[in-house]
Amino acid sequence: MQITINLPDNLSLTESDLRREVAIALFQQNILLIEQAAQVIAMDVDDFYQILVDRGILTPPSDPDDDPNELIFAHLRISLQQAKEGNLKPVSELWDGIDD
């Protein structure tokens, strides 16, 4: 979908800033899932999650070693979608880069 919005020339927001704010607002209104909102701004889900935490929209787990539920569910939905699309990785590649 493409949307055109005419904004005042003296507005100090870039297109990237505006896209980010729209994605955050749509996530907050439960219109987009976290991974969908991240996709709107072409950002990794983990980085988008950090923006939401920095703004106080989401609260990180109390134990820093725990993965947040929002990210666990997002990664599961992404993996399921990739599997449905046939975008699979060989088992031999599953652990590539794990020590990096």
Side-chain angles (χ1 to χ4, degrees), residues 38-93:
Q39 185 179 21
V40 166
I41 56 176
M43 180 178 279
D44 181 73
V45 173
D46 297 290
D47 294 334
F48 185 69
Y49 171 81
Q50 191 57 52
I51 289 173
L52 299 174
V53 168
D54 292 345
R55 291 198 180 188
I57 297 167
L58 293 178
T59 306
S62 56
D63 184 346
D65 291 333
D66 288 344
D67 287 333
N69 289 342
E70 293 89 349
L71 287 181
I72 292 170
F73 293 135
H75 288 291
L76 286 172
R77 287 188 297 263
I78 291 168
S79 296
L80 180 59
Q81 184 62 37
Q82 289 172 340
K84 286 180 180 178
E85 294 169 356
N87 185 4
L88 306 172
K89 293 184 180 183
V91 172
S92 61
E93 294 178 14

Side-chain angles (χ1 to χ4, degrees), residues 1-45:
M1 173 184 351
Q2 184 171 348
I3 298 172
T4 302
I5 301 173
N6 293 320
L7 298 171
D9 290 333
N10 61 352
L11 193 61
S12 62
L13 287 175
T14 65
E15 179 182 344
S16 176
D17 294 336
L18 186 60
R19 290 175 71 90
R20 183 185 61 243
E21 297 309 315
V22 168
I24 291 169
L26 293 174
F27 171 78
Q28 284 182 290
Q29 295 174 39
N30 295 317
I31 295 171
L32 293 179
L33 297 170
I34 191 169
E35 65 272 18
Q36 293 169 321
Q39 185 179 21
V40 166
I41 56 176
M43 180 178 279
D44 181 73
V45 173

